[in-house]
Amino acid sequence: MNLRPSGTTHILLDERGRGWIDDTNVKVIEVVLDKVGYGMSPEEMHTQFPHLSLAQIHAALSYYYDHQAEYDAEIEWQFREYQRLHAESLKDCPIRRKLREMGKLP
């Protein structure tokens, strides 16, 4: 993976423009999801992931707030894609097929 500086300390961008926390294998979006999805504070994140410094966590959140519309759109897209794939997998999973054959499902 080829990384380049993002202009924000501790954040590097890959060839696709995704933000990564320097010296780690953690994407900015992963930290953002902990904040948005679980309401975790930077201190709680640091407790859960001690390999990330508070400076790295704050930098990831700062980068998110500077690019919030893009990240929020990506999160929304990922959520919709998950829902689509989940619904698709339920349509014809082996157990549902078996239950339909047994007359237990329409």
Side-chain angles (χ1 to χ4, degrees):
M1 175 176 7
N2 185 18
L3 298 175
R4 67 188 191 290
S6 69
T8 301
T9 306
H10 295 295
I11 305 301
L12 301 171
L13 301 177
D14 66 14
E15 57 278 348
R16 298 172 96 187
R18 289 193 183 113
W20 293 79
I21 299 174
D22 66 350
D23 301 324
T24 72
N25 199 23
V26 178
K27 293 181 212 168
V28 169
I29 199 164
E30 294 173 50
V31 172
V32 170
L33 288 171
D34 284 340
K35 172 74 174 159
V36 173
Y38 299 110
M40 293 175 77
S41 70
E43 292 75 16
E44 290 170 319
M45 288 182 222
H46 181 60
T47 300
Q48 292 292 318
F49 310 104
H51 65 284
L52 297 178
S53 71
L54 277 173
Q56 290 172 316
I57 293 166
H58 282 285
L61 293 173
S62 178
Y63 189 80
Y64 162 66
Y65 289 121
D66 284 345
H67 302 89
Q68 187 170 0
E70 298 151 49
Y71 274 92
D72 289 350
E74 175 67 16
I75 291 166
E76 180 66 26
W77 179 84
Q78 286 184 14
F79 180 68
R80 287 185 184 179
E81 186 66 4
Y82 163 78
Q83 288 181 316
R84 183 187 70 76
L85 291 171
H86 179 69
E88 192 175 289
S89 72
L90 292 178
K91 286 180 184 174
D92 200 34
C93 72
I95 192 126
R96 291 180 81 73
R97 246 183 281 132
K98 183 80 167 175
L99 289 170
R100 270 195 292 280
E101 290 168 8
M102 295 170 61
K104 305 285 184 185
L105 288 177

